[in-house]
Amino acid sequence: MSSKTRLSFAHPPARPGEQPDFSSLEIPKAGALAVPPLDVAATDCVDHANSLIRVLNDAGEPVGPWADYLGNPDADTLRTGLADMMTSRIIDTRMLNAQRQGKMSFYIQQIGEEAIGCAFRRALKPGDMNFATYRQQSLLIAGDYPLEKLLGQIYSNAYDPLLGRQLPTLHSAREHGFFTISGNLGTQYVHAVGWAMANALTGKENLAVGWIGDGSTASNDFHTGLLSASSYWPPVILNVVNNQWAISTYTGVARGHGRTYAARALGYGLPALRVDGNDYLAVMAVTKWATERVRGGHGPVLIEWYTYRVGAHSSSDDPSAYRPKDEAKAWPLGDPIERLKQHLILRGDWSEERHVQAEARILAEVVDVQKRVEAAGTLLDPQPIPGASIFKGVYADTPEHIRRQRQEMGV
């Protein structure tokens, strides 16, 4: 007699050697969803959490209520966004090549996800703080973080502002709104919520922004962050970058039998939106809405950015072991750089020729920075850091009154 009890396992659309298949994905037409009021409650976000907010249609035209809400961004704003994404991708390509050449120990790319961080960062204000993962370099690039410092930390040499005290891809740039990355996935949520609570208690107007991937939603900190945000209603935006794959695990494992990650927030009473993360204008529009909501005192919000991780999880990963090699080409929501490029061309504000020229200019700038950084040494040939500075920035300076007290006590 066979048992009726059994286990169920989530399976990806295709395995190596099989034809990529995304036919089961439900991709609504662009412009189908309305813009909710800034003070919307979770109970009125069911459609927004389960469907997909899109602005650009297949022809590259902005359509629907979210396009109207965004307005008509000027050409320079969109060209800046395109340059941010191109810079990110060129850096990713060159850094992975450098890692393969043995010039660094480790690297993590974000190819295919550039629109999310680049568009989001441009909407933030000085003093806002991102609690990011290792796949949000775009926040630094769009935040005009010096490339020498960005690359210097990857090479862990004299250009590294952290003096080699952090892993190569775990950046820290407080002055650029980028909190030190924790290698423990999921902690970004509790850190972001706690920072936002402290801001509210001290009367500051800045936002906290938490970032995790779809795999990290399986961590306890994800749920702790949602519960705390729901209980205390701090000024925080919580982002889930759903790029379809955790380290080598299909997103369905972390999602379980739930429909979307955004929908999970509804159970905690948090409004949530689900967005086409490869649509730069959609990211701009939703980020504008989310920041206006939180700055207006209407409470936190969760956003699921729906995208695809084109490259490997890291330089130590081989995705050909668990997914088809050409799966990225079959992703139905396209490439974020190509989509914004085509939109700008459609507007008459760009051309294929200008794109090639821009790509060459950005490449030359990145190569120039890379050469200067590499000249300072690599992990294989490091420049020594003075021993006297090893504890610099590790401990707070002892206050003067305590130093005097210790002297009086003879300590």
Side-chain angles (χ1 to χ4, degrees):
M1 180 177 179
S2 62
S3 173
K4 293 183 179 180
T5 60
R6 60 186 178 85
L7 294 177
S8 175
F9 298 92
H11 295 283
R15 287 295 188 185
E18 299 176 348
Q19 190 71 21
D21 181 14
F22 291 109
S23 60
S24 63
L25 300 185
E26 298 179 18
I27 308 295
K29 291 183 179 180
L33 287 172
V35 179
L38 295 178
D39 61 351
V40 66
T43 51
D44 297 318
C45 274
V46 175
D47 289 341
H48 292 84
N50 286 285
S51 187
L52 197 67
I53 297 171
R54 301 179 62 203
V55 170
L56 292 175
N57 63 17
D58 294 339
E61 302 164 324
V63 297
W66 283 96
D68 295 338
Y69 174 75
L70 178 63
N72 186 29
D74 63 76
D76 285 342
T77 296
L78 295 182
R79 284 193 289 254
T80 296
L82 185 62
D84 288 341
M85 291 195 291
M86 294 168 69
T87 301
S88 176
R89 186 162 299 185
I90 286 172
I91 289 174
D92 269 353
T93 302
R94 293 196 64 83
M95 291 301 99
L96 184 62
N97 289 340
Q99 191 277 334
R100 297 300 190 225
Q101 294 167 1
K103 296 179 178 179
M104 66 186 69
S105 61
F106 189 68
Y107 189 71
I108 295 178
Q109 295 182 314
Q110 58 172 347
I111 292 177
E113 305 175 29
E114 296 92 346
I116 301 167
C118 287
F120 196 102
R121 181 60 182 83
R122 290 290 176 182
L124 297 180
K125 296 180 179 180
D128 294 340
M129 187 63 68
N130 286 284
F131 294 79
T133 75
Y134 41 61
R135 210 182 301 278
Q136 269 87 50
Q137 303 97 309
S138 55
L139 292 169
L140 290 168
I141 292 169
D144 298 322
Y145 187 62
L147 294 186
E148 288 86 355
K149 292 183 178 181
L150 181 74
L151 270 59
Q153 189 182 337
I154 297 169
Y155 283 91
S156 297
N157 61 18
Y159 280 94
D160 179 6
L162 304 182
L163 302 178
R165 298 192 185 97
Q166 181 64 291
L167 292 174
T169 56
L170 303 188
H171 292 86
S172 176
R174 179 180 179 181
E175 70 281 8
H176 282 76
F178 197 93
F179 199 84
T180 302
I181 295 177
S182 168
N184 298 315
L185 298 180
T187 59
Q188 290 83 359
Y189 264 30
V190 290
H191 293 161
V193 172
W195 195 89
M197 290 170 64
N199 263 11
L201 288 171
T202 55
K204 296 179 181 178
E205 300 296 328
N206 301 119
L207 305 182
V209 185
W211 297 86
I212 61 173
D214 52 286
S216 298
T217 63
S219 70
N220 292 338
D221 286 332
F222 170 74
H223 297 279
T224 300
L226 292 184
L227 178 58
S228 297
S230 176
S231 297
Y232 300 106
W233 221 237
V236 63
I237 300 173
L238 299 171
N239 297 293
V240 177
V241 181
N242 177 6
N243 63 17
Q244 311 308 308
W245 291 94
I247 293 180
S248 58
T249 306
Y250 175 57
T251 187
V253 175
R255 190 183 66 233
H257 279 75
R259 179 177 172 84
T260 71
Y261 295 102
R264 289 185 180 179
L266 303 183
Y268 286 93
L270 294 174
L273 311 176
R274 189 164 176 260
V275 187
D276 178 357
N278 288 20
D279 179 345
Y280 191 89
L281 268 67
V283 180
M284 286 183 70
V286 172
T287 302
K288 176 185 176 185
W289 182 90
T291 54
E292 288 180 352
R293 169 189 166 83
V294 178
R295 291 192 201 282
H298 302 298
V301 63
L302 181 139
I303 306 172
E304 176 186 345
W305 303 103
Y306 201 59
T307 183
Y308 183 84
R309 193 195 81 207
V310 173
H313 172 75
S314 72
S315 55
S316 301
D317 176 45
D318 178 12
S320 67
Y322 54 81
R323 70 184 189 192
K325 290 183 178 181
D326 56 349
E327 187 176 77
K329 296 179 181 178
W331 179 244
L333 294 173
D335 179 281
I337 294 178
E338 184 65 22
R339 290 178 67 184
L340 182 56
K341 181 185 80 171
Q342 293 302 327
H343 171 64
L344 279 166
I345 291 174
L346 187 66
R347 286 172 45 135
D349 294 320
W350 201 240
S351 68
E352 293 288 354
E353 181 181 9
R354 292 180 69 180
H355 192 82
V356 171
Q357 293 171 347
E359 194 170 44
R361 174 183 56 79
I362 295 170
L363 175 60
E365 292 174 356
V366 172
V367 169
D368 180 62
V369 172
Q370 184 180 4
K371 287 181 178 179
R372 292 202 306 274
V373 173
E374 287 188 356
T378 67
L379 287 172
L380 297 182
D381 181 28
Q383 297 297 312
I385 296 174
S389 69
I390 192 169
F391 293 112
K392 181 181 179 182
V394 176
Y395 300 104
D397 292 334
T398 304
E400 179 62 28
H401 71 281
I402 294 180
R403 284 201 296 269
R404 288 197 304 267
Q405 186 179 28
R406 286 177 175 175
Q407 290 175 353
E408 294 171 358
M409 295 173 62
V411 177

